Amino acid sequence: MSRLLVVIVIFIAIYLLLKYYRKQLPKKDVSGEDASTHSENMVRCAHCGVHLPKSESIVVDQKHYCSEVHRRTHTDEPA
Ligand SMILES: [Zn+2]
């Protein structure tokens, strides 16, 4: 009997966690350029426009790229 109670408590806990987590989610801002309020600055790939953390981006001439491939494609530099 007490085992059932534990299971129910766990389910309620999971439910509340999910509810809490979902509340946090819709804070996504798709505004683009000024996404500077994050804990880590997000930048936009100059080629495909994908957002990525600044630390993971490749910076060339003050432009950010999500990957070496896009950096190369955008700057038209021969491989
Ligand atoms: Zn890209």
Tab-separated table of all heavy atoms in Angstrom, residues 14-78:
chain	number	residue	atom	x	y	z
A	14	ILE	N	6.789	14.355	-10.981
A	14	ILE	CA	7.147	14.451	-12.395
A	14	ILE	C	6.211	15.413	-13.115
A	14	ILE	O	6.629	16.262	-13.900
A	14	ILE	CB	7.121	13.055	-13.052
A	14	ILE	CG1	8.285	12.207	-12.508
A	14	ILE	CG2	7.217	13.171	-14.567
A	14	ILE	CD1	8.214	10.755	-12.934
A	15	TYR	N	4.926	15.293	-12.808
A	15	TYR	CA	3.929	16.162	-13.431
A	15	TYR	C	4.204	17.634	-13.123
A	15	TYR	O	4.183	18.486	-14.011
A	15	TYR	CB	2.535	15.757	-12.931
A	15	TYR	CG	1.448	16.712	-13.360
A	15	TYR	CD1	0.980	16.700	-14.676
A	15	TYR	CD2	0.907	17.618	-12.459
A	15	TYR	CE1	-0.012	17.579	-15.069
A	15	TYR	CE2	-0.083	18.498	-12.845
A	15	TYR	CZ	-0.549	18.480	-14.145
A	15	TYR	OH	-1.523	19.336	-14.530
A	16	LEU	N	4.500	17.898	-11.849
A	16	LEU	CA	4.774	19.277	-11.455
A	16	LEU	C	6.056	19.788	-12.102
A	16	LEU	O	6.135	20.937	-12.521
A	16	LEU	CB	4.877	19.362	-9.929
A	16	LEU	CG	3.545	19.224	-9.184
A	16	LEU	CD1	3.784	19.233	-7.683
A	16	LEU	CD2	2.590	20.350	-9.569
A	17	LEU	N	7.051	18.920	-12.193
A	17	LEU	CA	8.310	19.304	-12.823
A	17	LEU	C	8.097	19.662	-14.283
A	17	LEU	O	8.592	20.664	-14.781
A	17	LEU	CB	9.316	18.158	-12.709
A	17	LEU	CG	10.217	18.177	-11.467
A	17	LEU	CD1	11.074	16.930	-11.415
A	17	LEU	CD2	11.108	19.407	-11.467
A	18	LEU	N	7.326	18.810	-14.978
A	18	LEU	CA	7.045	19.051	-16.392
A	18	LEU	C	6.286	20.366	-16.573
A	18	LEU	O	6.564	21.133	-17.481
A	18	LEU	CB	6.236	17.892	-16.968
A	18	LEU	CG	7.042	16.635	-17.316
A	18	LEU	CD1	6.116	15.543	-17.814
A	18	LEU	CD2	8.098	16.939	-18.373
A	19	LYS	N	5.348	20.579	-15.694
A	19	LYS	CA	4.541	21.789	-15.754
A	19	LYS	C	5.426	23.016	-15.560
A	19	LYS	O	5.329	24.001	-16.276
A	19	LYS	CB	3.482	21.741	-14.643
A	19	LYS	CG	2.178	22.390	-15.038
A	19	LYS	CD	1.147	22.099	-13.977
A	19	LYS	CE	0.303	23.331	-13.742
A	19	LYS	NZ	-0.581	23.161	-12.596
A	20	TYR	N	6.320	22.902	-14.578
A	20	TYR	CA	7.234	23.997	-14.292
A	20	TYR	C	8.182	24.227	-15.468
A	20	TYR	O	8.418	25.340	-15.894
A	20	TYR	CB	8.031	23.663	-13.031
A	20	TYR	CG	9.060	24.703	-12.666
A	20	TYR	CD1	8.663	25.911	-12.086
A	20	TYR	CD2	10.408	24.482	-12.908
A	20	TYR	CE1	9.599	26.868	-11.747
A	20	TYR	CE2	11.343	25.434	-12.574
A	20	TYR	CZ	10.944	26.624	-12.000
A	20	TYR	OH	11.875	27.563	-11.674
A	21	TYR	N	8.675	23.124	-16.022
A	21	TYR	CA	9.629	23.194	-17.119
A	21	TYR	C	8.990	23.819	-18.356
A	21	TYR	O	9.587	24.633	-19.040
A	21	TYR	CB	10.131	21.782	-17.436
A	21	TYR	CG	11.247	21.757	-18.447
A	21	TYR	CD1	12.479	22.337	-18.142
A	21	TYR	CD2	11.079	21.157	-19.684
A	21	TYR	CE1	13.506	22.321	-19.052
A	21	TYR	CE2	12.102	21.128	-20.601
A	21	TYR	CZ	13.320	21.715	-20.286
A	21	TYR	OH	14.317	21.689	-21.195
A	22	ARG	N	7.742	23.431	-18.624
A	22	ARG	CA	7.043	23.949	-19.797
A	22	ARG	C	6.773	25.444	-19.677
A	22	ARG	O	6.735	26.152	-20.651
A	22	ARG	CB	5.735	23.200	-19.999
A	22	ARG	CG	5.815	22.337	-21.253
A	22	ARG	CD	4.502	21.693	-21.548
A	22	ARG	NE	4.595	20.249	-21.408
A	22	ARG	CZ	3.570	19.481	-21.092
A	22	ARG	NH1	2.399	19.997	-20.864
A	22	ARG	NH2	3.704	18.189	-21.011
A	23	LYS	N	6.600	25.890	-18.448
A	23	LYS	CA	6.366	27.310	-18.220
A	23	LYS	C	7.597	28.122	-18.606
A	23	LYS	O	7.494	29.240	-19.057
A	23	LYS	CB	6.061	27.540	-16.740
A	23	LYS	CG	4.628	28.007	-16.513
A	23	LYS	CD	4.460	28.365	-15.057
A	23	LYS	CE	3.018	28.619	-14.720
A	23	LYS	NZ	2.837	28.802	-13.283
A	24	GLN	N	8.762	27.524	-18.400
A	24	GLN	CA	10.005	28.224	-18.683
A	24	GLN	C	10.289	28.298	-20.178
A	24	GLN	O	10.932	29.206	-20.640
A	24	GLN	CB	11.183	27.498	-18.006
A	24	GLN	CG	10.974	27.206	-16.558
A	24	GLN	CD	11.140	28.442	-15.690
A	24	GLN	OE1	10.251	29.270	-15.626
A	24	GLN	NE2	12.250	28.564	-15.039
A	25	LEU	N	9.792	27.299	-20.914
A	25	LEU	CA	10.162	27.159	-22.320
A	25	LEU	C	9.761	28.297	-23.250
A	25	LEU	O	10.589	28.741	-24.011
A	25	LEU	CB	9.626	25.831	-22.865
A	25	LEU	CG	10.542	24.631	-22.626
A	25	LEU	CD1	9.967	23.414	-23.326
A	25	LEU	CD2	11.955	24.894	-23.120
A	26	PRO	N	8.513	28.776	-23.234
A	26	PRO	CA	8.102	29.723	-24.284
A	26	PRO	C	8.804	31.064	-24.221
A	26	PRO	O	8.360	32.014	-24.795
A	26	PRO	CB	6.589	29.889	-24.037
A	26	PRO	CG	6.223	28.846	-23.079
A	26	PRO	CD	7.454	28.525	-22.306
A	27	LYS	N	9.913	31.116	-23.498
A	27	LYS	CA	10.659	32.372	-23.410
A	27	LYS	C	11.600	32.561	-24.590
A	27	LYS	O	12.392	33.488	-24.611
A	27	LYS	CB	11.463	32.390	-22.110
A	27	LYS	CG	10.608	32.652	-20.901
A	27	LYS	CD	11.046	33.933	-20.225
A	27	LYS	CE	9.985	34.451	-19.279
A	27	LYS	NZ	10.373	35.739	-18.709
A	28	LYS	N	11.518	31.671	-25.548
A	28	LYS	CA	12.352	31.764	-26.741
A	28	LYS	C	12.084	33.069	-27.475
A	28	LYS	O	10.960	33.349	-27.837
A	28	LYS	CB	12.000	30.603	-27.679
A	28	LYS	CG	13.063	29.520	-27.707
A	28	LYS	CD	12.781	28.579	-28.850
A	28	LYS	CE	12.918	27.138	-28.429
A	28	LYS	NZ	12.376	26.233	-29.420
A	29	ASP	N	13.112	33.839	-27.700
A	29	ASP	CA	12.874	35.025	-28.510
A	29	ASP	C	13.509	34.841	-29.876
A	29	ASP	O	14.650	34.447	-30.001
A	29	ASP	CB	13.401	36.281	-27.813
A	29	ASP	CG	14.897	36.265	-27.623
A	29	ASP	OD1	15.413	35.205	-27.200
A	29	ASP	OD2	15.547	37.261	-27.909
A	30	VAL	N	12.688	35.098	-30.864
A	30	VAL	CA	13.124	34.887	-32.243
A	30	VAL	C	13.441	36.234	-32.871
A	30	VAL	O	13.296	36.423	-34.058
A	30	VAL	CB	12.027	34.150	-33.037
A	30	VAL	CG1	12.636	33.412	-34.233
A	30	VAL	CG2	11.289	33.162	-32.160
A	31	SER	N	13.868	37.171	-32.013
A	31	SER	CA	14.055	38.533	-32.489
A	31	SER	C	15.305	38.687	-33.348
A	31	SER	O	15.396	39.599	-34.140
A	31	SER	CB	14.108	39.498	-31.305
A	31	SER	OG	15.025	39.017	-30.353
A	32	GLY	N	16.267	37.806	-33.189
A	32	GLY	CA	17.427	37.861	-34.070
A	32	GLY	C	18.607	38.602	-33.484
A	32	GLY	O	19.216	38.122	-32.541
A	33	GLU	N	18.892	39.757	-34.020
A	33	GLU	CA	20.138	40.460	-33.747
A	33	GLU	C	20.437	40.664	-32.254
A	33	GLU	O	21.515	40.374	-31.804
A	33	GLU	CB	20.136	41.831	-34.444
A	33	GLU	CG	19.566	41.843	-35.833
A	33	GLU	CD	20.289	40.920	-36.795
A	33	GLU	OE1	21.515	41.031	-36.941
A	33	GLU	OE2	19.602	40.071	-37.411
A	34	ASP	N	19.462	41.171	-31.498
A	34	ASP	CA	19.777	41.573	-30.140
A	34	ASP	C	19.442	40.491	-29.108
A	34	ASP	O	18.715	40.725	-28.175
A	34	ASP	CB	19.090	42.892	-29.793
A	34	ASP	CG	17.585	42.799	-29.957
A	34	ASP	OD1	17.128	41.899	-30.685
A	34	ASP	OD2	16.878	43.597	-29.344
A	35	ALA	N	19.963	39.335	-29.319
A	35	ALA	CA	19.760	38.256	-28.356
A	35	ALA	C	20.902	38.275	-27.354
A	35	ALA	O	21.623	37.306	-27.180
A	35	ALA	CB	19.681	36.928	-29.073
A	36	SER	N	21.045	39.377	-26.651
A	36	SER	CA	22.198	39.538	-25.782
A	36	SER	C	21.853	39.314	-24.314
A	36	SER	O	22.700	39.419	-23.454
A	36	SER	CB	22.809	40.926	-25.982
A	36	SER	OG	21.806	41.897	-25.807
A	37	THR	N	20.586	39.000	-24.025
A	37	THR	CA	20.190	38.843	-22.638
A	37	THR	C	20.434	37.437	-22.113
A	37	THR	O	20.205	37.160	-20.952
A	37	THR	CB	18.707	39.211	-22.459
A	37	THR	OG1	17.968	38.563	-23.467
A	37	THR	CG2	18.499	40.705	-22.556
A	38	HIS	N	20.891	36.540	-22.976
A	38	HIS	CA	21.158	35.180	-22.537
A	38	HIS	C	22.409	35.136	-21.662
A	38	HIS	O	23.204	36.068	-21.652
A	38	HIS	CB	21.362	34.270	-23.749
A	38	HIS	CG	20.093	33.976	-24.471
A	38	HIS	ND1	19.249	32.960	-24.105
A	38	HIS	CD2	19.519	34.565	-25.532
A	38	HIS	CE1	18.223	32.950	-24.914
A	38	HIS	NE2	18.347	33.912	-25.797
A	39	SER	N	22.579	34.034	-20.964
A	39	SER	CA	23.759	33.889	-20.142
A	39	SER	C	25.005	33.896	-21.013
A	39	SER	O	26.041	34.413	-20.651
A	39	SER	CB	23.684	32.598	-19.335
A	39	SER	OG	23.453	31.513	-20.199
A	40	GLU	N	24.862	33.304	-22.187
A	40	GLU	CA	25.938	33.383	-23.163
A	40	GLU	C	25.414	34.092	-24.394
A	40	GLU	O	24.291	33.841	-24.817
A	40	GLU	CB	26.434	31.990	-23.546
A	40	GLU	CG	27.639	32.063	-24.453
A	40	GLU	CD	28.236	30.689	-24.728
A	40	GLU	OE1	27.622	29.703	-24.324
A	40	GLU	OE2	29.292	30.618	-25.345
A	41	ASN	N	26.199	34.973	-24.942
A	41	ASN	CA	25.747	35.711	-26.115
A	41	ASN	C	25.523	34.778	-27.297
A	41	ASN	O	26.350	33.938	-27.595
A	41	ASN	CB	26.791	36.763	-26.498
A	41	ASN	CG	26.692	37.974	-25.608
A	41	ASN	OD1	25.758	38.089	-24.814
A	41	ASN	ND2	27.639	38.877	-25.728
A	42	MET	N	24.370	34.971	-27.928
A	42	MET	CA	24.069	34.189	-29.113
A	42	MET	C	24.385	35.034	-30.341
A	42	MET	O	24.127	36.227	-30.368
A	42	MET	CB	22.587	33.802	-29.120
A	42	MET	CG	22.179	32.951	-27.936
A	42	MET	SD	22.924	31.321	-27.940
A	42	MET	CE	21.843	30.491	-29.103
A	43	VAL	N	24.938	34.375	-31.327
A	43	VAL	CA	25.231	35.081	-32.564
A	43	VAL	C	24.542	34.360	-33.712
A	43	VAL	O	24.083	33.229	-33.566
A	43	VAL	CB	26.756	35.162	-32.823
A	43	VAL	CG1	27.426	36.036	-31.793
A	43	VAL	CG2	27.359	33.770	-32.857
A	44	ARG	N	24.497	35.013	-34.834
A	44	ARG	CA	23.799	34.466	-35.980
A	44	ARG	C	24.788	34.174	-37.085
A	44	ARG	O	25.645	35.006	-37.398
A	44	ARG	CB	22.770	35.498	-36.461
A	44	ARG	CG	21.555	34.864	-37.030
A	44	ARG	CD	20.486	35.899	-37.255
A	44	ARG	NE	19.811	35.581	-38.498
A	44	ARG	CZ	19.326	36.471	-39.337
A	44	ARG	NH1	19.416	37.739	-39.070
A	44	ARG	NH2	18.745	36.085	-40.442
A	45	CYS	N	24.654	32.996	-37.652
A	45	CYS	CA	25.521	32.639	-38.771
A	45	CYS	C	25.227	33.569	-39.942
A	45	CYS	O	24.076	33.722	-40.348
A	45	CYS	CB	25.291	31.185	-39.173
A	45	CYS	SG	26.223	30.703	-40.652
A	46	ALA	N	26.271	34.194	-40.478
A	46	ALA	CA	26.096	35.147	-41.574
A	46	ALA	C	25.663	34.441	-42.847
A	46	ALA	O	25.171	35.061	-43.774
A	46	ALA	CB	27.403	35.912	-41.814
A	47	HIS	N	25.814	33.149	-42.883
A	47	HIS	CA	25.471	32.405	-44.101
A	47	HIS	C	24.064	31.825	-44.053
A	47	HIS	O	23.250	32.076	-44.930
A	47	HIS	CB	26.494	31.295	-44.334
A	47	HIS	CG	26.278	30.577	-45.636
A	47	HIS	ND1	26.516	31.179	-46.849
A	47	HIS	CD2	25.819	29.328	-45.902
A	47	HIS	CE1	26.212	30.311	-47.824
A	47	HIS	NE2	25.787	29.189	-47.270
A	48	CYS	N	23.755	31.066	-43.021
A	48	CYS	CA	22.463	30.378	-42.989
A	48	CYS	C	21.510	30.969	-41.947
A	48	CYS	O	20.331	30.633	-41.929
A	48	CYS	CB	22.663	28.886	-42.718
A	48	CYS	SG	23.298	28.524	-41.078
A	49	GLY	N	22.009	31.860	-41.085
A	49	GLY	CA	21.129	32.549	-40.155
A	49	GLY	C	20.810	31.769	-38.896
A	49	GLY	O	19.993	32.192	-38.089
A	50	VAL	N	21.452	30.632	-38.694
A	50	VAL	CA	21.183	29.848	-37.504
A	50	VAL	C	21.826	30.525	-36.289
A	50	VAL	O	22.838	31.200	-36.407
A	50	VAL	CB	21.707	28.400	-37.689
A	50	VAL	CG1	23.204	28.316	-37.478
A	50	VAL	CG2	20.977	27.461	-36.756
A	51	HIS	N	21.168	30.401	-35.134
A	51	HIS	CA	21.704	30.990	-33.914
A	51	HIS	C	22.560	29.981	-33.167
A	51	HIS	O	22.188	28.821	-33.045
A	51	HIS	CB	20.567	31.465	-33.011
A	51	HIS	CG	19.910	32.698	-33.535
A	51	HIS	ND1	18.914	32.655	-34.472
A	51	HIS	CD2	20.132	34.007	-33.264
A	51	HIS	CE1	18.533	33.891	-34.745
A	51	HIS	NE2	19.242	34.734	-34.038
A	52	LEU	N	23.660	30.449	-32.668
A	52	LEU	CA	24.539	29.567	-31.909
A	52	LEU	C	25.313	30.386	-30.891
A	52	LEU	O	25.449	31.602	-31.040
A	52	LEU	CB	25.492	28.814	-32.852
A	52	LEU	CG	26.580	29.610	-33.555
A	52	LEU	CD1	27.728	28.705	-33.938
A	52	LEU	CD2	26.044	30.299	-34.800
A	53	PRO	N	25.788	29.732	-29.838
A	53	PRO	CA	26.569	30.447	-28.829
A	53	PRO	C	27.830	31.061	-29.441
A	53	PRO	O	28.456	30.461	-30.310
A	53	PRO	CB	26.940	29.361	-27.817
A	53	PRO	CG	25.957	28.272	-28.040
A	53	PRO	CD	25.572	28.344	-29.485
A	54	LYS	N	28.155	32.240	-28.974
A	54	LYS	CA	29.289	32.958	-29.531
A	54	LYS	C	30.573	32.135	-29.462
A	54	LYS	O	31.390	32.159	-30.379
A	54	LYS	CB	29.476	34.262	-28.753
A	54	LYS	CG	30.248	35.311	-29.504
A	54	LYS	CD	30.230	36.613	-28.729
A	54	LYS	CE	30.919	37.714	-29.521
A	54	LYS	NZ	30.886	38.988	-28.786
A	55	SER	N	30.707	31.390	-28.372
A	55	SER	CA	31.937	30.623	-28.181
A	55	SER	C	32.087	29.501	-29.200
A	55	SER	O	33.167	28.992	-29.422
A	55	SER	CB	31.971	30.050	-26.767
A	55	SER	OG	30.868	29.189	-26.567
A	56	GLU	N	30.955	29.102	-29.805
A	56	GLU	CA	31.012	28.012	-30.777
A	56	GLU	C	31.074	28.515	-32.202
A	56	GLU	O	31.127	27.733	-33.146
A	56	GLU	CB	29.773	27.112	-30.618
A	56	GLU	CG	29.848	26.237	-29.391
A	56	GLU	CD	28.564	25.457	-29.193
A	56	GLU	OE1	27.902	25.114	-30.182
A	56	GLU	OE2	28.226	25.198	-28.026
A	57	SER	N	31.022	29.818	-32.361
A	57	SER	CA	30.994	30.356	-33.714
A	57	SER	C	32.402	30.631	-34.219
A	57	SER	O	33.353	30.751	-33.455
A	57	SER	CB	30.175	31.640	-33.747
A	57	SER	OG	30.844	32.642	-33.003
A	58	ILE	N	32.489	30.715	-35.535
A	58	ILE	CA	33.752	31.079	-36.165
A	58	ILE	C	33.633	32.534	-36.585
A	58	ILE	O	32.698	32.910	-37.286
A	58	ILE	CB	34.025	30.178	-37.385
A	58	ILE	CG1	34.145	28.724	-36.927
A	58	ILE	CG2	35.269	30.626	-38.126
A	58	ILE	CD1	33.998	27.726	-38.049
A	59	VAL	N	34.557	33.359	-36.117
A	59	VAL	CA	34.467	34.790	-36.383
A	59	VAL	C	35.514	35.192	-37.402
A	59	VAL	O	36.706	34.947	-37.220
A	59	VAL	CB	34.660	35.607	-35.088
A	59	VAL	CG1	34.363	37.075	-35.358
A	59	VAL	CG2	33.772	35.076	-33.988
A	60	VAL	N	35.025	35.781	-38.486
A	60	VAL	CA	35.915	36.314	-39.501
A	60	VAL	C	35.377	37.674	-39.916
A	60	VAL	O	34.207	37.793	-40.276
A	60	VAL	CB	35.997	35.384	-40.736
A	60	VAL	CG1	36.932	35.978	-41.787
A	60	VAL	CG2	36.456	33.995	-40.332
A	61	ASP	N	36.229	38.690	-39.856
A	61	ASP	CA	35.819	40.055	-40.218
A	61	ASP	C	34.557	40.472	-39.473
A	61	ASP	O	33.632	41.046	-40.057
A	61	ASP	CB	35.617	40.172	-41.737
A	61	ASP	CG	36.918	39.993	-42.498
A	61	ASP	OD1	37.983	40.256	-41.913
A	61	ASP	OD2	36.855	39.573	-43.661
A	62	GLN	N	34.480	40.160	-38.198
A	62	GLN	CA	33.351	40.521	-37.322
A	62	GLN	C	32.048	39.880	-37.755
A	62	GLN	O	30.976	40.305	-37.359
A	62	GLN	CB	33.200	42.047	-37.255
A	62	GLN	CG	34.389	42.686	-36.539
A	62	GLN	CD	34.240	44.189	-36.416
A	62	GLN	OE1	33.619	44.823	-37.262
A	62	GLN	NE2	34.797	44.754	-35.376
A	63	LYS	N	32.133	38.849	-38.580
A	63	LYS	CA	30.945	38.079	-38.931
A	63	LYS	C	31.075	36.701	-38.299
A	63	LYS	O	32.179	36.159	-38.206
A	63	LYS	CB	30.840	37.935	-40.457
A	63	LYS	CG	30.289	39.177	-41.107
A	63	LYS	CD	30.244	38.988	-42.601
A	63	LYS	CE	29.823	40.278	-43.288
A	63	LYS	NZ	30.311	40.325	-44.667
A	64	HIS	N	29.945	36.152	-37.902
A	64	HIS	CA	29.955	34.861	-37.229
A	64	HIS	C	29.425	33.783	-38.164
A	64	HIS	O	28.493	34.014	-38.922
A	64	HIS	CB	29.095	34.914	-35.961
A	64	HIS	CG	29.573	35.962	-35.001
A	64	HIS	ND1	30.515	35.699	-34.057
A	64	HIS	CD2	29.243	37.260	-34.869
A	64	HIS	CE1	30.759	36.808	-33.368
A	64	HIS	NE2	29.991	37.772	-33.836
A	65	TYR	N	30.024	32.618	-38.042
A	65	TYR	CA	29.586	31.492	-38.856
A	65	TYR	C	29.401	30.273	-37.972
A	65	TYR	O	30.138	30.078	-37.010
A	65	TYR	CB	30.606	31.195	-39.956
A	65	TYR	CG	30.831	32.366	-40.869
A	65	TYR	CD1	31.878	33.241	-40.634
A	65	TYR	CD2	29.975	32.594	-41.932
A	65	TYR	CE1	32.087	34.339	-41.458
A	65	TYR	CE2	30.168	33.690	-42.767
A	65	TYR	CZ	31.229	34.559	-42.519
A	65	TYR	OH	31.417	35.631	-43.329
A	66	CYS	N	28.430	29.430	-38.337
A	66	CYS	CA	28.139	28.266	-37.521
A	66	CYS	C	29.137	27.152	-37.770
A	66	CYS	O	29.315	26.269	-36.943
A	66	CYS	CB	26.716	27.778	-37.779
A	66	CYS	SG	26.465	27.162	-39.457
A	67	SER	N	29.760	27.173	-38.914
A	67	SER	CA	30.719	26.109	-39.216
A	67	SER	C	31.762	26.607	-40.200
A	67	SER	O	31.584	27.634	-40.865
A	67	SER	CB	29.996	24.895	-39.809
A	67	SER	OG	29.395	25.257	-41.031
A	68	GLU	N	32.810	25.852	-40.268
A	68	GLU	CA	33.896	26.169	-41.181
A	68	GLU	C	33.401	26.155	-42.628
A	68	GLU	O	33.801	26.959	-43.466
A	68	GLU	CB	35.029	25.140	-40.986
A	68	GLU	CG	36.250	25.350	-41.863
A	68	GLU	CD	36.961	26.687	-41.615
A	68	GLU	OE1	36.890	27.195	-40.476
A	68	GLU	OE2	37.555	27.207	-42.556
A	69	VAL	N	32.483	25.222	-42.914
A	69	VAL	CA	31.942	25.106	-44.270
A	69	VAL	C	31.224	26.386	-44.677
A	69	VAL	O	31.421	26.912	-45.775
A	69	VAL	CB	30.981	23.898	-44.360
A	69	VAL	CG1	30.403	23.792	-45.761
A	69	VAL	CG2	31.692	22.618	-43.974
A	70	HIS	N	30.396	26.891	-43.761
A	70	HIS	CA	29.641	28.107	-44.077
A	70	HIS	C	30.558	29.314	-44.154
A	70	HIS	O	30.330	30.234	-44.931
A	70	HIS	CB	28.538	28.329	-43.036
A	70	HIS	CG	27.353	27.449	-43.292
A	70	HIS	ND1	26.247	27.420	-42.482
A	70	HIS	CD2	27.124	26.573	-44.305
A	70	HIS	CE1	25.390	26.545	-42.991
A	70	HIS	NE2	25.902	26.016	-44.066
A	71	ARG	N	31.575	29.315	-43.348
A	71	ARG	CA	32.545	30.401	-43.392
A	71	ARG	C	33.181	30.437	-44.783
A	71	ARG	O	33.286	31.460	-45.426
A	71	ARG	CB	33.623	30.170	-42.322
A	71	ARG	CG	34.297	31.426	-41.853
A	71	ARG	CD	35.619	31.695	-42.512
A	71	ARG	NE	36.481	30.526	-42.583
A	71	ARG	CZ	37.390	30.359	-43.534
A	71	ARG	NH1	37.547	31.264	-44.461
A	71	ARG	NH2	38.129	29.274	-43.567
A	72	ARG	N	33.552	29.245	-45.228
A	72	ARG	CA	34.211	29.141	-46.524
A	72	ARG	C	33.242	29.501	-47.659
A	72	ARG	O	33.587	30.213	-48.581
A	72	ARG	CB	34.714	27.701	-46.720
A	72	ARG	CG	36.197	27.681	-47.017
A	72	ARG	CD	36.653	26.272	-47.278
A	72	ARG	NE	36.942	25.541	-46.045
A	72	ARG	CZ	36.853	24.217	-45.937
A	72	ARG	NH1	36.473	23.494	-46.952
A	72	ARG	NH2	37.136	23.621	-44.811
A	73	THR	N	32.018	28.970	-47.575
A	73	THR	CA	31.031	29.225	-48.627
A	73	THR	C	30.717	30.716	-48.721
A	73	THR	O	30.600	31.266	-49.800
A	73	THR	CB	29.723	28.465	-48.330
A	73	THR	OG1	30.057	27.135	-47.935
A	73	THR	CG2	28.829	28.417	-49.541
A	74	HIS	N	30.578	31.331	-47.549
A	74	HIS	CA	30.168	32.738	-47.533
A	74	HIS	C	31.274	33.655	-48.030
A	74	HIS	O	31.029	34.617	-48.742
A	74	HIS	CB	29.756	33.122	-46.114
A	74	HIS	CG	28.941	34.369	-46.071
A	74	HIS	ND1	27.612	34.384	-46.427
A	74	HIS	CD2	29.267	35.635	-45.734
A	74	HIS	CE1	27.159	35.631	-46.300
A	74	HIS	NE2	28.122	36.401	-45.881
A	75	THR	N	32.471	33.372	-47.635
A	75	THR	CA	33.574	34.241	-48.053
A	75	THR	C	34.096	33.847	-49.426
A	75	THR	O	34.994	34.496	-49.954
A	75	THR	CB	34.729	34.174	-47.031
A	75	THR	OG1	35.069	32.810	-46.813
A	75	THR	CG2	34.327	34.819	-45.713
A	76	ASP	N	33.513	32.789	-49.978
A	76	ASP	CA	33.865	32.345	-51.326
A	76	ASP	C	35.334	32.002	-51.457
A	76	ASP	O	35.944	32.179	-52.488
A	76	ASP	CB	33.486	33.421	-52.356
A	76	ASP	CG	32.459	32.869	-53.320
A	76	ASP	OD1	32.002	31.727	-53.126
A	76	ASP	OD2	32.120	33.580	-54.283
A	77	GLU	N	35.865	31.538	-50.363
A	77	GLU	CA	37.258	31.178	-50.371
A	77	GLU	C	37.406	29.750	-50.892
A	77	GLU	O	36.685	28.863	-50.461
A	77	GLU	CB	37.779	31.258	-48.934
A	77	GLU	CG	39.256	30.988	-48.804
A	77	GLU	CD	39.609	30.891	-47.332
A	77	GLU	OE1	39.563	31.937	-46.656
A	77	GLU	OE2	39.911	29.790	-46.871
A	78	PRO	N	38.277	29.543	-51.834
A	78	PRO	CA	38.435	28.178	-52.356
A	78	PRO	C	38.893	27.212	-51.265
A	78	PRO	O	39.711	27.569	-50.415
A	78	PRO	CB	39.502	28.322	-53.450
A	78	PRO	CG	40.148	29.636	-53.203
A	78	PRO	CD	39.152	30.495	-52.484
